[in-house]
């Protein structure tokens, strides 16, 4: 799975297309559905940021369900936030960095009521969150070489992930 994600990410960064899947939703169901953030819809934002050495930004989770695991900075949109505002907020809360979004990399839909927007951009300020600054959002943040992320099943960088089947 990591190889597929890495390949898709490289294609996107090279301005090349990747495959897109469309959920099977009937017209009748779509007409009757009224999306309300945090009620009937879960909008997730995720930031994929790279530094000048090609390392990716990762955060160590503080949530009980995945405590200590490493993941990209991500979280739920708040009511009345737009995608860019929500992603900037999540990156700042979880990683301590400010960034300017430059591209929407992907939109994933699951079950018609869960949508994740993944953005990339450039860091414009802030500093990496340290363990001394841990809070309910994250324990710390760091830049990781892609090789370290690929070895995510090791104890050096246990990743939080969900395996998807296509």
């Amino acid at each position: 799975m990591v190889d597929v994600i890495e390949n898709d990410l490289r294609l996107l960064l090279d301005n090349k297309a990747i495959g897109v899947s469309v959920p099977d939703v009937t017209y009748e169901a779509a007409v009757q559905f009224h999306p309300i953030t945090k009620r009937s819809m879960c909008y997730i934002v995720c930031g994929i940021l790279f530094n000048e050495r090609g390392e990716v930004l990762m955060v160590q989770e503080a949530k009980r369900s995945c405590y200590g695991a490493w993941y990209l900075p991500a979280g739920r949109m708040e009511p009345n936030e737009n995608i860019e505002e929500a992603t900037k907020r999540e990156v700042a809360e979880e990683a301590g960095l400010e960034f300017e979004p430059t591209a929407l990399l992907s939109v994933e839909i699951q079950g018609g009521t869960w949508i994740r927007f993944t953005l990339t951009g450039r860091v414009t300020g802030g500093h990496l969150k340290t363990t001394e600054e841990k809070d309910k959002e994250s324990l710390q943040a760091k830049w990781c070489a892609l090789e370290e992320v690929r070895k995510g099943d090791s104890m050096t960088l246990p990743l939080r992930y969900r395996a998807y089947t296509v």
Side-chain angles (χ1 to χ4, degrees), residues 67-127:
Y67 190 88
W70 290 87
Y71 195 64
L72 300 166
R76 295 179 181 187
M77 287 179 66
E78 297 294 332
N80 302 314
E81 272 185 320
N82 66 39
I83 297 165
E84 286 186 6
E85 292 167 343
T87 310
K88 286 175 157 182
R89 178 184 51 76
E90 286 295 338
V91 169
E93 288 176 357
E94 295 190 357
L97 298 176
E98 298 168 15
F99 91 106
E100 187 59 38
T102 57
L104 173 65
L105 295 179
S106 71
V107 178
E108 300 168 81
I109 301 172
Q110 197 173 56
T113 59
W114 181 96
I115 301 176
R116 178 169 53 197
F117 303 94
T118 301
L119 283 73
T120 191
R122 59 183 179 78
V123 174
T124 59
H127 67 276

Side-chain angles (χ1 to χ4, degrees), residues 6 9-10 13 48-58 142-150:
E6 182 180 327
L9 181 57
R10 288 192 189 286
L13 292 173
I48 297 182
L49 302 175
F50 294 90
N51 65 14
E52 62 281 350
R53 292 181 303 280
E55 298 168 317
V56 65
L57 178 64
M58 301 290 286
K142 72 176 186 173
W143 295 106
C144 297
L146 291 179
E147 293 74 32
E148 187 178 6
V149 175
R150 273 191 219 106

